[in-house]
Amino acid sequence: AAVAIENARLHETLKRSYWETVRALTRAIEAKDPQVLGHSERVTNYALRMGQALRLSPEDMENLRFAATLHDIGKIAVEEQLMRSTNPQAYREALENNHPLVGMSILQPAEFLTPALAGVRYHHEHWDGSGYPEGLKGEDIPLSARIIAVANSYDNLLHAEWAGPDMDPEKAIHEINKRGGTELDPELVKTFLSVMGYPEIINTKR
């Protein structure tokens, strides 16, 4: 019994240490670009609010939290390769498309994160099958990845450089609504609009 308790304690210590390390890596990559500073934390907040509305189990909520926090961890390798590239602009798109798979490979050694890997790997898949890395469609995309996709899209609209300076929260909400059924799971878009306090916008394509 004492050995089992000690093993469990060691497991929790290793789990905590690994978690702190990957969190530090996430903060490090965000610190390189003010446009994405705090992105993972915001995405995690939106995703967990959706998970609560969907009444996910405590275990599923924990896995969603891990996946949302670490969904962009693969960009660490992307950024390093870009710095070494002689043609960063041409190289960026291919590397960006690979970051979900890179992220999964970074996290695979941590067995406790195995249930969260699907959210990391598939958060850029689209409801209509036009996403990457595998072109999954509809409910073939894991639920955690579909949740993160909505949260990620919203935060990108508000904070990404390409979104432009005039994208306020309400405009971003309308844009998310438009993407339901194409890029995003339409039912999860409804959930997101409800938890964000915009239920009246649901199914209003503007």
Side-chain angles (χ1 to χ4, degrees):
V3 173
I5 293 172
E6 183 60 29
N7 286 340
R9 185 178 301 151
L10 178 60
H11 175 76
E12 286 302 312
T13 300
L14 291 173
K15 177 178 174 180
R16 184 167 55 252
S17 296
Y18 193 87
W19 174 244
E20 290 171 353
T21 299
V22 292
R23 283 293 305 274
L25 290 172
T26 301
R27 289 192 294 269
I29 189 170
E30 291 186 350
K32 294 179 180 180
D33 184 357
Q35 293 290 336
V36 297
L37 190 61
H39 170 70
S40 293
E41 183 176 347
R42 293 190 298 268
V43 168
T44 301
N45 177 266
Y46 300 139
L48 292 180
R49 289 170 67 181
M50 293 173 68
Q52 289 172 346
L54 294 168
R55 298 184 179 180
L56 298 185
S57 69
E59 182 180 1
D60 286 341
M61 286 290 286
E62 180 180 51
N63 292 328
L64 179 61
R65 178 171 69 91
F66 286 148
T69 301
L70 300 170
H71 72 282
D72 274 345
I73 195 72
K75 288 187 176 181
I76 291 172
V78 170
E79 292 296 327
E80 293 301 320
Q81 291 179 62
L82 282 172
M83 286 191 294
R84 294 195 299 268
S85 173
T86 56
N87 190 352
Q89 186 171 356
Y91 208 37
R92 179 174 290 277
E93 183 175 352
L95 289 171
E96 284 287 330
N97 289 350
N98 284 333
H99 85 263
L101 296 178
V102 174
M104 189 184 71
S105 70
I106 290 172
L107 300 174
Q108 270 182 327
E111 291 185 8
F112 79 93
L113 287 175
T114 297
L117 293 182
V120 175
R121 178 169 184 158
Y122 298 118
H123 71 277
H124 278 296
E125 299 287 359
H126 292 174
W127 182 255
D128 63 5
S130 64
Y132 59 86
E134 295 181 21
L136 298 184
K137 184 177 183 179
E139 293 187 359
D140 287 340
I141 305 167
L143 177 60
S144 60
R146 285 182 273 140
I147 292 172
I148 294 169
V150 176
N152 188 53
S153 295
Y154 178 71
D155 194 67
N156 281 338
L157 285 168
L158 288 181
H159 298 282
E161 186 176 2
W162 51 259
D166 61 343
M167 182 64 73
D168 60 35
E170 186 163 343
K171 288 182 180 178
I173 286 288
H174 279 289
E175 180 59 31
I176 291 297
N177 189 43
K178 290 178 184 178
R179 296 181 185 186
T182 53
E183 178 183 333
L184 305 172
D185 181 333
E187 292 303 313
L188 291 182
V189 166
K190 292 178 182 178
T191 300
F192 181 72
L193 296 182
S194 293
V195 301
M196 295 299 287
Y198 292 90
E200 73 282 358
I201 295 177
I202 294 174
N203 296 327
T204 303
K205 300 294 184 182
R206 291 193 285 171

